[in-house]
Amino acid sequence: MKPSIHPDYHMIKVQMTDGTVFETRSTWGKEGDVMALEIDPLSHPAWTGGTRQLDQGGRVAQFNKRFGGLTLKK
């Protein structure tokens, strides 16, 4: 490896939204810094199964509403 071109890899603390803290190695911040997460697997709907916004008025729904009854049958 070439010297002085790689970032500093050090220990930081990561604080989850529920207040739990764990240590990991990272290039983020400085040695001993605390990274406070705003979204994590404990709070994000993708992991918790919370409410989802379905495609009610998106492009596909608009297309199906406009051209849904068309067929290629003669």
Side-chain angles (χ1 to χ4, degrees):
M1 294 188 341
K2 292 183 180 180
S4 72
I5 64 167
H6 300 283
D8 180 34
Y9 196 56
H10 50 270
M11 295 298 288
I12 65 165
K13 293 181 181 177
V14 179
Q15 182 176 7
M16 307 284 272
T17 56
D18 68 346
T20 59
V21 177
F22 66 91
E23 288 190 27
T24 187
R25 293 182 57 147
S26 176
T27 59
W28 180 86
K30 295 180 179 67
E31 178 80 27
D33 281 353
V34 177
M35 177 188 286
L37 299 180
E38 295 175 5
I39 297 175
D40 62 17
L42 301 174
S43 65
H44 195 277
W47 289 286
T48 60
T51 60
R52 295 181 189 168
Q53 185 174 5
L54 299 176
D55 188 20
Q56 297 173 352
R59 303 297 294 167
V60 173
Q62 290 175 0
F63 179 86
N64 287 335
K65 182 179 176 183
R66 189 170 178 189
F67 300 108
L70 296 179
T71 61
L72 297 175
K73 296 178 184 176
K74 290 186 176 182

